[in-house]
Amino acid sequence: MTGVGTHDGALERLKRDGRIVVVGASLAGLRAAETMREKGFAGSLTMIGDEPYEPYDRPPLSKQVLLGHAVADRTALPRRRAIDADWHLGVPATGLDMAARRVRLGNGDEVEYDRLLIATGVRARPWPNEEEGALEGVFVLRTRDDAEGLQRALAAGPRRVLVIGAGFTGSEIASACRERGLDVTVAERGAAPLVGALGGVIGEVAAEMHREHGVDLRTGVMVTGLEGGPAGRVRAAHLSDGSTVEADVVVVSLGAQRNTEWLAGSGLGAGPRGIACDAGCRAFDIRGIVTDDIYVAGDVARSPHALFGYQFLSLEHWGNAVAQADTAAHNMLSESSDRRPHLWVPAFWSSQFGVNIKSVGVPPMGTEILFTQGSRAERRFAAVYGYQGRVIAAVTFDQCRWLQFYEQQIETTAPFPPPFSTVDRRPEGNKPVPADFPDPSVPTHGPTITLSGYSPADRKMTFTPARH
Amino acid sequence: MRLVVDLNRCQGYAQCAFLAPDVFAMHGEESLLYNPQAAAEQRQNVERAVAACPVGAILLELTDEDMAHLPAPDAVAGSGARPGGTR
C-alpha cells in the first residue's frame, strides 16, 4: 500500500474504459492524445475541433506557404502513433457543464467525459470595424483557410499590401511580400516592430531590417479606418497621422484572442487572458479552486512558472503546446503523487528577412539588455535580458547555437550582467542598457508571452458573468 | 509523407538541405524552410535527412502511399506510422 486512493482501482478503470474528451484538435490536442495512448489509455477518446481539418501545423502558414514553397492544405501534422479517436471536426464546443461532466457542441450534440482536456488555443484578433473587416482584400492570418486566401491574393500581384501590426506574424508577412517583390507598408502602433515581445533595443534592429528590405515602415501610427471601393474591395487605409495608404490587400495582424467564450458561465476560471491552471495543467474554477478532471494545454492556458516568480504565463509558442500537452496527458492518467509540473523554458523562433530570430526565457520580464556576442550591425548576435540581477531571457539573430547555453543560464538563475568576459572584445564594453519594453499597462499586440498576474482568481480581468 | 521540424531544436546544421534539397532549404544563414508534405519519391532522401539531423529535430510519418512507393526491405509490414525523430 502506498497511500489512500492508489489502490482503489479508479485510475485503472479510467485507463481501461474511461472517457477522455479533448476540445481543440490542433497541435496541443493531437500531441496530448498521442501521449495518452502511449501511456496505455484504452478507453474512448473524443477529439473536437472547430475547423473541418485534421490537426495541421501553423508556423509554415506565414512563411513557406506565403512564399509559395508549400501549399496551405498540405501542412497536416505527422502522427507519432495512431490515436484511434472519435473525431468531431468542423464543430465547435459551445458549452461546458462541469457538474454533469458534459461538453456541448455547436450541432446540439453533447459528449460526456471522465477527464477533459481543453486546448482551444487562440484566434486572430479581427479588425475592430466589422464592416471594414468584411471588405474583399482584408485578411487575418491564423488558419489554413486564411493562408490559402492570402496566398492567392498575393499571387494575383497587388499594387501594394498593407500589414497592420508589426509583431512576429506581421513582420513575417511583410518579409514574404518583399521576397515576392510586392510593395508593402507596415503600420505599427508601437515605436518599432517586435517591441512587445523583444523590447525597444531589439525592435530598433528589426526596424532597420524592414527598411533595408524596402518595407515602407510607419511606426507610432494607428490605422483609423479602411476604405472600400464601389465593388466592396478594400482600396485604402487612413492613418492616425493624417496620411492615406492605397492598398489592394490589407492584412490585419493585431495579435490573438483566446478561445474561451464557450466557457462563459461554466464556472471554470476562463477569460480573455486564457484559462488559469496549476503547474500540473489542472484548470482552476472561478473560486480559485483547482479542478481534478479538467486540464488545459497550449496557447489557451496560463500557468504559474517556478523560474519566473510563479507568475502566470500565457505562451503562444509551438514548443509550449507540445510540452504542455505531454505533461497534461501524463497527469490526466497519473496518481497525484506521480504528476509532473510543466516547467518548460519558453522558447520560440521566427524567420524574417532571411534572419533567424530565436529566443529563450521571458524577454518582457527583462528590464535591461546586453549584447553579449556577435555584432548588432551585422544582425548576427546574442543578447541577454536581465531582471533583478539575474539572466531572465536571451535572443539571438542568426546565432541560435548559443541559445542552449543561455537556457542553462536562465534555468540556473545566473547573475546579470553575466560575469564571464565574452569571446568578443566589444567596442561598447559590457554595459547593459534599458531593454525598453513599452508600458505593460498599454496593451500591445504580438507579445508571444503574456505575463498575466499571480492570482488564478484575479477578478479584475478574468470572469465574464453568464448572461443566460 | 508528412513531416514537421521542431525549429526550437533546429540549429541550422543544414544536413537535411544537403541530403534532401527538394524538401529542405536554408533561407538565409540559419533559417530552415521545408515542405511539410513531400512527394513519395523523396522518401529515401528524407529518411537520410532524418537520420543525419544532429539534433534529431525532424519528425516523419510515412503514409500508405509512401509505403507502396519504393518498398524497403526493412519496412515494417502494416505499419502506417513510424516516428522519424525523438523528442
Side-chain angles (χ1 to χ4, degrees), chain A residues 283-298:
Chain A
F284 285 106
D285 70 14
I286 55 167
R287 302 166 300 173
I289 298 175
V290 77
T291 59
D292 214 23
D293 48 3
I294 303 177
Y295 289 71
V296 199

Side-chain angles (χ1 to χ4, degrees), chain A residues 164 211 230 289 359 372 384 452 454:
Chain A
I164 307 176
R211 294 205 164 103
I289 298 175
S359 166
T372 45
V384 293
S452 51
Y454 291 86

Side-chain angles (χ1 to χ4, degrees), chain A residues 152-366:
Chain A
R152 224 177 304 122
L154 297 185
R159 280 167 308 156
R160 178 167 292 275
V161 178
L162 170 66
V163 179
I164 307 176
F168 283 105
T169 307
S171 297
E172 287 175 2
I173 294 165
S175 167
C177 287
R178 288 306 301 143
E179 202 158 319
R180 296 182 75 133
L182 298 171
D183 285 338
V184 56
T185 296
V186 173
E188 162 63 38
R189 177 171 55 187
L194 313 181
V195 277
L198 296 174
V201 174
I202 300 298
E204 204 179 302
V205 181
E208 287 166 17
M209 275 167 39
H210 278 253
R211 294 205 164 103
E212 270 168 38
H213 284 84
V215 174
D216 169 30
L217 175 67
R218 321 264 185 104
T219 56
V221 293
M222 296 206 289
V223 174
T224 52
L226 301 176
E227 185 190 317
R233 264 203 79 86
V234 70
R235 188 170 68 185
H238 301 287
L239 273 52
S240 56
D241 62 1
S243 62
T244 298
V245 175
E246 289 187 17
D248 326 300
V249 172
V250 172
V251 193
V252 178
S253 189
L254 295 176
Q257 291 177 318
R258 265 116 195 121
N259 291 320
T260 54
E261 290 81 356
W262 67 284
L263 294 164
S266 68
L268 203 66
R273 295 207 158 179
I275 305 167
C277 63
D278 72 357
C281 310
R282 295 181 300 176
F284 285 106
D285 70 14
I286 55 167
R287 302 166 300 173
I289 298 175
V290 77
T291 59
D292 214 23
D293 48 3
I294 303 177
Y295 289 71
V296 199
D299 293 3
V300 79
R302 63 189 196 101
S303 64
H305 200 305
L307 267 182
F308 305 102
Y310 292 96
Q311 281 233 50
F312 278 71
L313 302 183
S314 305
L315 304 170
E316 292 174 42
H317 295 169
W318 190 93
N320 182 64
V322 173
Q324 198 167 22
D326 195 55
T327 303
H330 169 89
N331 291 348
M332 287 169 86
L333 296 170
S334 298
E335 299 290 357
S336 59
S337 56
D338 297 329
R339 288 185 183 142
R340 297 194 309 238
H342 173 57
L343 287 178
W344 187 74
V345 178
F348 73 89
W349 77 87
S350 170
S351 174
Q352 46 186 280
F353 305 107
V355 172
N356 192 28
I357 303 176
K358 281 185 147 187
S359 166
V360 289
V362 181
M365 275 181 91

